[in-house]
Amino acid sequence: MKGAELLWSYVDVEPIAFNKGFYTVDVKYFYKITAEAYCGLSRPKEICGLATYDKRTVLFGSEGSVRIFSSQYMPKESDLQNFEKTNLPTGVVEVVDPVALGIKVTESCGCGDCGLNDIPDCICRCFEDDIVICDEGKKLFVTLGQFSIIKLERDIQLLMPAYDICMPEKDCSGSGGSDDPCDLFQKFKFPVDEFFPPKYSDYIKENGGNCQNGSCKTGKRC
């Protein structure tokens, strides 16, 4: 196998009955597979095919019963309100390029179900030739490694508090009459005591007397 390319991912979200707030997210991946086929001693021929993979997951997306209307402009359409819609969460899939792990050739099972029904037109246009959908001949089964993140997104309301502003009526920068903030800062006394812990003599001054052996003359404990 020469490579694998992820063409598109179809995402469908449906609520789960009797489980409020939970939804099933069905994802269908469409891959373009490129391989080489050998016929005897001739040079290999490049072949392309379509592979699909279905994945289902259950996620919590909360719930709501409101109806949403919007006047958003729609290109190439009349500038009318969009149709009414509910606040159903939106399924989002983030994927990286797939990793080709293996490939094998198998005989047709003859069951008549190849799993490639209802292929979208956008996928068919990615191939130069028409996609052959039948249950005859040989089939290629590929093994791919796919890293993806599946999540639910929805619009929510945020309550932002608003406060009135009050413009100052007079200058309160200082009484010196200077507008330079550096001149005002030079008048501040350096707070030496804030950088050093208090000494033993400072405790004596706070208690109003001399402290000896843990007791003060004023009768207070130090």
Side-chain angles (χ1 to χ4, degrees):
M1 181 167 52
K2 295 183 62 176
E5 177 186 4
L6 178 61
L7 300 177
W8 187 51
S9 295
Y10 172 77
V11 184
D12 181 53
V13 179
E14 294 293 338
I16 300 179
F18 309 109
N19 287 275
K20 293 184 178 180
F22 287 88
Y23 301 85
T24 58
V25 183
D26 295 306
V27 183
K28 190 178 188 67
Y29 300 95
F30 294 86
Y31 299 95
K32 181 179 181 180
I33 307 299
T34 305
E36 291 182 342
Y38 291 85
C39 298
L41 300 177
S42 61
R43 298 182 60 182
K45 182 179 180 181
E46 184 177 285
I47 58 175
C48 293
L50 177 65
T52 62
Y53 176 71
D54 296 296
K55 182 179 180 61
R56 168 173 288 188
T57 182
V58 177
L59 298 176
F60 179 78
S62 190
E63 61 176 344
S65 58
V66 300
R67 292 179 295 177
I68 302 174
F69 298 88
S70 175
S71 61
Q72 183 179 2
Y73 172 73
M74 301 177 63
K76 299 181 180 180
E77 297 289 342
S78 300
D79 192 10
L80 301 176
Q81 279 192 336
N82 293 339
F83 287 106
E84 170 193 349
K85 64 178 182 179
T86 61
N87 59 344
L88 190 73
T90 303
V92 178
V93 180
E94 299 180 2
V95 297
V96 297
D97 294 333
V99 180
L101 301 177
I103 186 172
K104 66 177 180 179
V105 181
T106 61
E107 297 291 340
S108 176
C109 60
C111 61
D113 184 13
C114 59
L116 294 177
N117 299 324
D118 299 331
I119 302 176
D121 294 336
C122 60
I123 300 298
C124 296
R125 290 193 295 266
C126 296
F127 296 87
E128 297 179 359
D129 300 326
D130 295 336
I131 300 177
V132 179
I133 302 177
C134 64
D135 197 23
E136 299 177 357
K138 298 181 181 296
K139 291 184 178 181
L140 293 180
F141 281 84
V142 296
T143 302
L144 303 176
Q146 180 68 73
F147 294 97
S148 63
I149 298 177
I150 303 176
K151 57 185 178 180
L152 290 176
E153 295 180 352
R154 67 161 57 248
D155 295 332
I156 61 174
Q157 305 291 337
L158 295 179
L159 180 61
M160 305 297 295
Y163 301 95
D164 295 334
I165 60 174
C166 180
M167 299 299 296
E169 299 179 356
K170 61 180 181 179
D171 185 14
C172 57
S173 59
S175 58
S178 176
D179 295 333
D180 189 0
C182 295
D183 295 340
L184 178 62
F185 184 74
Q186 292 293 335
K187 299 179 181 179
F188 291 168
K189 183 179 179 181
F190 189 83
V192 180
D193 296 338
E194 299 294 335
F195 293 88
F196 298 94
K199 298 179 294 184
Y200 181 71
S201 58
D202 297 332
Y203 288 106
I204 298 177
K205 294 180 181 179
E206 291 179 0
N207 289 278
N210 296 326
C211 295
Q212 297 179 357
N213 298 327
S215 61
C216 303
K217 293 183 179 180
T218 57
K220 298 181 181 180
R221 298 289 298 177
C222 296

